[in-house]
Amino acid sequence: MSVVAGSVGASTASLRRARVMGILFLLVGVLIVLVFGLGSEGGVVSRLGLNPARAETLFRLPDLVLPARSTAFLLGAVCAFLGGVQLSRGFERRVNLVIAIVLVLFVFAFLTWAARDRSLSLLGMLQSTLLRSVPITFGALSGVLCERAGVINIAIEGMLLTSAFTASVAASLTDSLWIGLLSGAIVGGLVAGLLALLAIRYQVDQIVAGTVINILALGLTSYLTDQFLQRNQELNNPGRFQNVPIPGLSDVPILGPVAFDQNVLVYLMMAIVAASFFGLFYTRWGLRVRAVGEHPKAADTVGIRVLFTRYRNVILGGVVAGIGGAYFSLGAVGRFEEGMTAGRGFIGLAAMIFGRWNPIGAFAAALIFGFADSLQVKLNILRVGIPSEFLAMAPYLVTILIVAGAAHRVRPPAADGKPYLKE
Amino acid sequence: MGEPIGRPPSDGEGDLPSTGDTVPQEEPRAAHEVEEEVLAAGAIVTTGRGGWRDSLLVPFLAVVTALVIGGLVIVFTDEDALREWAGFFRDPGEALSASWRVVSESYYALFSGAFGSPSGIGRAFVSGDLDQIRGALYPLSETIVAATPLVFVGLSVALGFRAGLFNIGAEGQMNMGAVVAAAVGFSMGYLPGPLHLVLMIAAGFAGGAVWGAIPGFLKARTGAHEVITTIMLNFVAVSLGLYLLTTDFYRQQAEPIARPVEVAFPHLFGTNLRVHAGIFVAIGVAAAVAWLLNRTTIGFEFRAVGANPDAARAAGMSPTRTVVAVMALAGGLAGLAGTNQLASVTPSLIPGFASGLGFDAIALALLGRARPAGVVLAAFLFGSLRAGGRTMQAVTQTPIDIIVVIQALVIAFVAAPALVRAIYRIRARRVAGPDAFAKGWGG
């Protein structure tokens, strides 16, 4: 649609956008120089750590020691230069890449400023970025699997919450984290089965059906926690999955400790991202799923079972969300707490939208949210003078900004949210 | 890209039950046809075809079924009852009677906590003793007190539904309304009481309206879906409220509590009963919303945009402006709920001030079929559940969260009339497609 509608006024509109972007880059550069450059005292250094907390590593990198003020000046100058190039010559199609570069430079300048006269483990931040993106990624993948088949899944939050509860209790009862994980995944699938039943069989408005499940999940888990877990703490003491460094890979500088020295749920996440990307876009299965989500009538005509595909994908999505829920209690916290998902399911939905209903894109978007989240925790520790309540808003505000910025550029599967009525 | 609320053309079919065919209509239509379509859609939304069966019988059966399933949950999470069930084959009678005992005790406590015991009320009136009558009516008063904020938040969500918007943010809007109302409430004590109260109500409305207008604006300008933005703003509102409670302007000596407001709704039957004049404001606002929706041009635009934004635009309305107006109004209504709580039972703003009410609001709007009168009735039902749930928790130690479970089940059954019909084998009278309350991502 945008191509057709935009072709008339395209040249003027894109010219204006290019100019706005150039001015924006310039302003970011000026901001970096004024706030972070003049904001740090001359001669003060920022120490950014690049080594994992554990001592024995094959390669040990020197810490990044940067003079706070000159670094900010340099980064600001680069941003301003990019802005100048954009205004005079224009990056044209590569402007999105430049936007990303400017954003990274800004964040780096900010970190250098925040860490002035102190040390900040950059590696630790990258690690916690990945960890905090894990449940969001699982949620987003669950959404991708459901919505590619044409069923809107607002119930991710509820699935995460129920399976976090189930995984904790099951693991505590059986003394096995693996059984806990399995139970979490199964319960996620069952909750998704309820969503599928309401949405596909009874054709309830899919957003309402998802909301029902979210409320039900919150009520049931809170009720059961009050009724059982508070009096019997031993039912809510599952322990946690320990980190399993992958031999060889985990010694690669920076990437190793971040990506290959994690617990099994993180590896599982990476595997599911890869598998669902490959499955959706390079297999017959994926082609059929997408056909059902884009044009169910056509899919039906060529003999694809539309309703079966939708049931299967929604339940599959529930299993994925279930694993994500288990991450809360078995991977991150080590116990279940009421309302512990704190909106991560909805942030996952936002990541799915920003990632254009594509597993890799969703993972990348989840990393941005994870970074916002880990940044607010870090800044809270560094005491940069921003009240912690405002820092706590960061992931939610980033979600709003990203959804507002992305909503127009993305297109959901054409039949998303529409019940299929066979004639 | 030029159409802020537009949906992709491939997406435009099936908005109305009456155009449920799958062939997109490409050819331009005459203006009067579009107008008729809007009118027809409005009629569907307003009257809800199907008569009393759909508007009363289905919600009634939904509540009954939800209570039955809630009872099962109580039984199978009660340790005594579970012990009896373990010996089911030895003594099935005992298992059943133990279960009945658990459920009937819980639900009796729920009922008496919500309405009082009928015989007690009768005896009190016969005795003619005023204190005794007040004591007997106490549960009923608590039910009304609990129902009052629910009317406001329920109306907030219902108004959104009528315009095709799903406002999950009533909780945040209520919080922000309360934040602004509290500031007026505790800092302007020098004003004469009635004026102060009116000003505080206006402030609560304004605070909620601003918070509601943000997602409306984002949706109109960028297409960001209100389900995500309103949820996120709920979290932001909580953080903002927590921050304000640490500032010198808001806080009392004890930090996470704001200074109490200096004005309140008058009590209706003396200070022993908490029921207050807020309930009249609530019912008056409900009537005003009904009037706005059904008797004014603005209300017609709201409903037309909700039924079919494309047709509404073709008929010369502005869906963009309407979305912002509806969300602002919905936010304002939720803000009134915050004011109501400040001016009655919780004069000080505290953390968790509005927690859970946002979800209740969705249940109320669905149960009341997005009509103001229905929302008021639903609010009384949920108010009785809330008031009774407290008594139930105190008497039988059944956690009050069971109320949330029951409410979620009520919404599930109300939103899926086919499910209720299947359970009770009621024949469907209408063949139209599913009820549409909200729209997909495209909108």
Side-chain angles (χ1 to χ4, degrees):
Chain A
M1 172 188 69
S2 57
V3 178
V4 180
S7 61
V8 183
S11 54
T12 52
S14 66
L15 202 68
R16 208 183 58 190
R17 181 167 180 263
R19 206 166 290 154
V20 169
M21 281 302 157
I23 294 170
L24 205 68
F25 298 160
L26 268 178
L27 285 179
V28 170
V30 172
L31 188 79
I32 291 175
V33 169
L34 287 184
V35 178
F36 303 141
L38 300 180
S40 16
E41 306 70 13
V44 167
V45 295
S46 311
R47 181 178 285 271
L48 300 175
L50 294 175
N51 289 302
R54 64 192 168 86
E56 75 292 356
T57 41
L58 216 53
F59 308 98
R60 223 179 148 73
L61 296 172
D63 282 352
L64 214 53
V65 181
L66 301 167
R69 189 173 234 183
S70 342
T71 309
F73 285 160
L74 180 69
L75 294 172
V78 173
C79 282
F81 173 72
L82 289 172
V85 174
Q86 166 74 8
L87 280 178
S88 64
R89 201 160 52 86
F91 288 103
E92 314 214 326
R93 291 182 58 87
R94 277 166 299 170
V95 71
N96 284 332
L97 181 71
V98 181
I99 294 176
I101 293 174
V102 168
L103 260 178
V104 169
L105 292 178
F106 177 79
V107 169
F108 193 75
F110 178 73
L111 284 178
T112 322
W113 170 77
R116 68 190 188 283
D117 214 7
R118 275 175 285 207
S119 71
L120 179 140
S121 170
L122 201 58
L123 191 88
M125 267 198 77
L126 294 178
Q127 280 174 322
S128 82
T129 295
L130 182 67
L131 286 180
R132 282 164 188 275
S133 74
V134 170
I136 299 171
T137 306
F138 277 118
L141 287 175
S142 169
V144 169
L145 287 171
C146 297
E147 302 207 357
R148 279 288 177 180
V151 179
I152 289 182
N153 184 0
I154 293 270
I156 297 169
E157 181 85 359
M159 294 172 186
L160 292 176
L161 200 57
T162 5
S163 64
F165 176 87
T166 315
S168 176
V169 173
S172 306
L173 281 174
T174 59
D175 224 1
S176 158
L177 290 170
W178 289 101
I179 292 179
L181 175 60
L182 190 67
S183 326
I186 291 172
V187 164
L190 286 176
V191 175
L194 179 62
L195 173 69
L197 194 71
L198 288 173
I200 301 169
R201 171 102 172 75
Y202 290 104
Q203 293 173 17
V204 177
D205 181 293
Q206 291 176 7
I207 293 186
V208 171
T211 306
V212 166
I213 289 174
N214 286 334
I215 301 176
L216 198 61
L218 188 66
L220 263 182
T221 52
S222 303
Y223 174 81
L224 293 173
T225 306
D226 277 5
Q227 186 79 314
F228 292 117
L229 299 193
Q230 273 173 5
R231 268 170 289 163
N232 311 304
Q233 289 292 335
E234 72 277 6
L235 288 180
N236 191 11
N237 188 19
R240 285 196 303 166
F241 278 107
Q242 295 306 312
N243 284 8
V244 186
I246 294 183
L249 286 176
S250 65
D251 286 323
V252 177
I254 302 183
L255 189 65
V258 171
F260 300 110
D261 186 6
Q262 300 286 9
N263 65 43
V264 63
L265 288 167
V266 180
Y267 301 137
L268 202 54
M269 174 199 77
M270 297 179 196
I272 295 176
V273 168
S276 54
F277 176 74
F278 181 77
L280 276 174
F281 297 108
Y282 293 97
T283 66
R284 197 164 61 174
W285 172 82
L287 188 64
R288 290 182 171 175
V289 167
R290 288 183 289 137
V292 166
E294 295 289 345
H295 202 318
K297 199 180 169 72
D300 197 6
T301 311
V302 297
I304 300 170
R305 286 181 295 169
V306 173
L307 298 187
F308 169 78
T309 307
R310 288 191 168 175
Y311 271 111
R312 187 193 55 200
N313 264 52
V314 171
I315 290 170
L316 204 59
V319 170
V320 170
I323 300 171
Y327 175 80
F328 280 97
S329 49
L330 305 184
V333 180
R335 50 180 280 122
F336 176 79
E337 288 159 12
E338 282 182 43
M340 74 190 303
T341 48
R344 293 296 178 274
F346 291 100
I347 298 182
L349 274 176
M352 169 195 80
I353 292 173
F354 189 51
R356 298 172 188 236
W357 286 265
N358 173 328
I360 305 257
F363 177 49
L367 282 174
I368 298 178
F369 294 112
F371 182 75
D373 212 1
S374 82
L375 188 66
Q376 62 102 354
V377 173
K378 208 68 173 180
L379 292 183
N380 219 348
I381 298 168
L382 281 175
R383 301 190 173 280
V384 289
I386 307 172
S388 61
E389 291 87 358
F390 283 103
L391 293 175
M393 294 175 194
Y396 307 116
L397 288 177
V398 168
T399 307
I400 293 175
L401 285 180
I402 282 185
V403 171
H408 249 333
R409 295 169 214 285
V410 299
R411 193 188 63 83
D416 207 6
K418 296 194 176 52
Y420 181 66
L421 302 163
K422 206 162 176 152
E423 275 151 30
Chain B
M1 226 177 243
E3 297 170 345
I5 315 201
R7 317 173 67 189
S10 61
D11 215 355
E13 69 224 25
D15 278 341
L16 289 170
S18 55
T19 58
D21 58 344
T22 45
V23 184
Q25 293 178 308
E26 300 285 357
E27 63 274 16
R29 289 175 294 174
H32 68 90
E33 279 180 59
V34 174
E35 213 161 309
E36 276 165 20
E37 197 168 281
V38 171
L39 283 169
I44 291 162
V45 179
T46 329
T47 58
R49 292 182 299 186
W52 67 275
R53 270 196 174 177
D54 271 358
S55 54
L56 283 178
L57 185 62
V58 169
F60 174 74
L61 290 176
V63 172
V64 170
T65 318
L67 282 172
V68 169
I69 297 178
L72 292 177
V73 173
I74 293 176
V75 168
F76 288 105
T77 56
D78 185 89
E79 286 174 3
D80 295 335
L82 280 182
R83 208 171 305 119
E84 296 298 338
W85 277 98
F88 179 74
F89 292 106
R90 197 165 6 90
D91 192 354
E94 187 51 37
L96 288 176
S97 73
S99 306
W100 173 249
R101 208 161 46 236
V102 170
V103 174
S104 61
E105 275 173 9
S106 293
Y107 278 170
Y108 180 76
L110 183 76
F111 182 83
S112 64
F115 304 109
S117 74
S119 60
I121 295 177
R123 264 201 310 280
F125 272 104
V126 168
S127 77
D129 177 27
L130 211 56
D131 283 339
Q132 218 173 328
I133 293 176
R134 282 205 183 113
L137 289 180
Y138 181 78
L140 216 50
S141 151
E142 286 301 295
T143 291
I144 295 174
V145 167
T148 311
L150 294 177
V151 174
F152 291 115
V153 286
L155 287 172
S156 168
V157 178
L159 187 73
F161 277 150
R162 296 292 284 271
L165 295 165
F166 199 1
N167 177 20
I168 309 197
E171 196 168 315
Q173 291 146 14
M174 181 176 166
N175 260 321
M176 293 313 288
V179 160
V180 181
V184 170
F186 62 65
S187 69
M188 295 188 177
Y190 49 82
L191 290 171
L195 180 65
H196 192 189
L197 185 61
V198 169
L199 212 59
M200 190 169 113
I201 292 174
F205 185 88
V210 168
W211 209 246
I214 297 171
F217 178 80
L218 287 174
K219 169 142 191 162
R221 289 303 295 270
T222 71
H225 200 275
E226 74 276 9
V227 165
I228 292 182
T229 49
T230 52
I231 285 263
M232 294 298 123
L233 283 173
N234 282 347
F235 288 104
V236 175
V238 167
S239 291
L240 197 58
L242 283 176
Y243 168 72
L244 289 174
L245 290 180
T246 65
T247 59
D248 287 338
F249 180 62
Y250 271 91
R251 72 171 172 194
Q252 275 184 335
Q253 296 87 336
E255 194 160 273
I257 300 173
R259 290 191 268 157
V261 300
E262 291 166 15
V263 65
F265 284 126
H267 286 273
L268 294 181
F269 304 104
T271 48
N272 288 340
L273 293 182
R274 295 203 297 171
V275 59
H276 55 85
I279 186 63
F280 295 129
V281 179
I283 291 173
V285 168
V289 170
W291 174 79
L292 177 83
L293 278 172
N294 299 324
R295 294 271 178 273
T296 66
T297 321
I298 301 174
F300 178 73
E301 283 195 19
F302 286 6
R303 288 184 283 127
V305 167
N308 187 338
D310 297 328
R313 188 183 297 106
M317 302 171 188
S318 160
T320 315
R321 207 183 48 214
T322 308
V323 165
V324 180
V326 169
M327 284 305 293
L329 206 52
L333 288 169
L336 287 182
T339 315
N340 175 78
Q341 294 304 83
L342 288 174
S344 56
V345 289
T346 3
S348 294
L349 196 60
I350 45 170
F353 181 81
S355 69
L357 276 175
F359 280 157
D360 285 3
I362 298 162
L364 289 162
L366 289 171
L367 185 58
R369 306 231 136 205
R371 266 168 270 165
V375 169
V376 172
L377 288 178
F380 276 96
L381 175 72
F382 279 23
S384 64
L385 284 176
R386 274 209 162 199
R390 284 198 293 268
T391 309
M392 180 180 72
Q393 186 164 19
V395 175
T396 64
Q397 279 82 47
T398 310
I400 195 167
D401 293 303
I402 192 73
I403 301 301
V404 181
V405 176
I406 292 173
Q407 287 173 353
L409 292 168
V410 170
I411 320 175
F413 292 126
V414 171
L419 199 60
V420 176
R421 289 202 200 94
I423 294 173
Y424 294 98
R425 316 221 170 259
I426 303 169
R427 232 177 317 132
R429 290 210 311 188
R430 57 174 184 173
V431 281
D435 292 334
F437 286 101
K439 302 264 188 273
W441 298 122

